[in-house]
């Protein structure tokens, strides 16, 4: 998933700062919608301030809108990780969802299903509609095609 691909990118793009929405939620949010709104503002400002960043987020929902609003004409490369719904659902048991204060009124399974539907409906490409390059990979793919495009290999 996202952490796996981020970790692989970090090993190669050593000068890039990693910015994860979950880290910001842990630091700034109490799980309420109000505190999450403030958290997303801080997150999106920090993403744009950092010229070379790997930004880890689902790419849907309020975090996507907050980041897109701040991007303006900034250059970015979009990497979408294509993980099946079944795989995502099977990972629920191995994760502690109490660590990150997510602002949701539904159970984790329903949230995952909703995110999966938004991604399949093309939400990410509708919001992030002007990347320098766009890639869709399986989470266990070799990242060499992305890195060649970025001039890293």
């Amino acid at each position: 998933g996202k952490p796996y691909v981020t970790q692989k990118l970090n090993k190669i793009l050593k000068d890039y700062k990693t910015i994860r929405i979950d880290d910001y939620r842990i630091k700034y949010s109490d799980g309420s919608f109000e505190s999450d709104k403030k958290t997303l503002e801080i997150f999106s400002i920090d993403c744009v301030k950092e010229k070379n960043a790997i930004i880890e987020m689902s790419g849907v929902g309020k975090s996507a809108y907050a980041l897109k609003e701040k991007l303006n004409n900034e250059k970015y490369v979009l990497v979408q990780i294509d993980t099946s719904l079944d795989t995502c659902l099977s990972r629920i048991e191995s994760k502690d969802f109490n660590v990150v204060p997510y602002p949701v009124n539904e159970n984790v399974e329903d949230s995952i299903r909703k995110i999966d539907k938004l991604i399949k409906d093309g939400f990410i490409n509708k919001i992030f509609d002007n990347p320098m390059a766009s890639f869709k990979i399986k989470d266990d793919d070799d990242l060499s095609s992305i890195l060649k495009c970025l001039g890293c290999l």
Side-chain angles (χ1 to χ4, degrees):
K2 296 182 304 287
Y4 175 79
V5 172
T6 299
Q7 183 181 40
K8 286 179 83 169
L9 287 171
N10 276 326
K11 288 180 180 179
I12 297 157
L13 302 171
K14 292 179 170 103
D15 295 336
Y16 280 57
K17 180 177 180 180
T18 299
I19 303 173
R20 295 178 181 91
I21 185 59
D22 286 353
D23 293 343
Y24 279 71
R25 285 188 168 129
I26 290 168
K27 185 173 182 178
Y28 298 107
S29 182
D30 62 10
S32 69
F33 287 100
E34 185 177 319
S35 71
D36 198 62
K37 184 177 179 180
K38 293 174 186 173
T39 300
L40 294 177
E41 179 71 12
I42 296 165
F43 169 76
S44 60
I45 289 170
D46 285 357
C47 288
V48 174
K49 270 197 248 180
E50 195 65 43
K51 292 300 174 194
N52 294 314
I54 299 167
I55 301 167
E56 184 185 303
M57 59 187 276
S58 69
V60 300
K62 293 178 182 176
S63 60
Y65 288 113
L67 180 57
K68 178 60 178 182
E69 182 182 301
K70 299 285 187 280
L71 278 175
N72 296 320
N73 294 320
E74 299 291 333
K75 295 179 182 177
Y76 61 96
V77 174
L78 179 63
V79 179
Q80 293 184 62
I81 304 165
D82 184 12
T83 305
S84 75
L85 176 60
D86 288 339
T87 299
C88 293
L89 292 172
S90 72
R91 292 176 178 163
I92 291 174
E93 290 180 20
S94 66
K95 293 186 179 183
D96 182 359
F97 288 94
N98 294 317
V99 174
V100 178
Y102 295 107
V104 293
N105 291 331
E106 59 198 2
N107 69 42
V108 174
E109 187 175 311
D110 289 343
S111 291
I112 290 171
R113 289 182 189 285
K114 184 187 295 183
I115 290 168
D116 182 70
K117 181 172 180 358
L118 287 168
I119 291 169
K120 285 179 180 168
D121 289 346
F123 182 91
I124 293 173
N125 290 325
K126 290 173 189 168
I127 295 295
F128 299 103
D129 58 352
N130 194 27
M132 290 174 32
S134 182
F135 300 91
K136 192 168 201 170
I137 64 169
K138 296 284 184 193
D139 61 2
D140 57 352
D141 277 0
D142 180 16
L143 300 175
S144 60
S145 61
I146 297 170
L147 299 172
K148 283 178 186 173
C149 175
L150 298 175
C152 296
L153 293 178

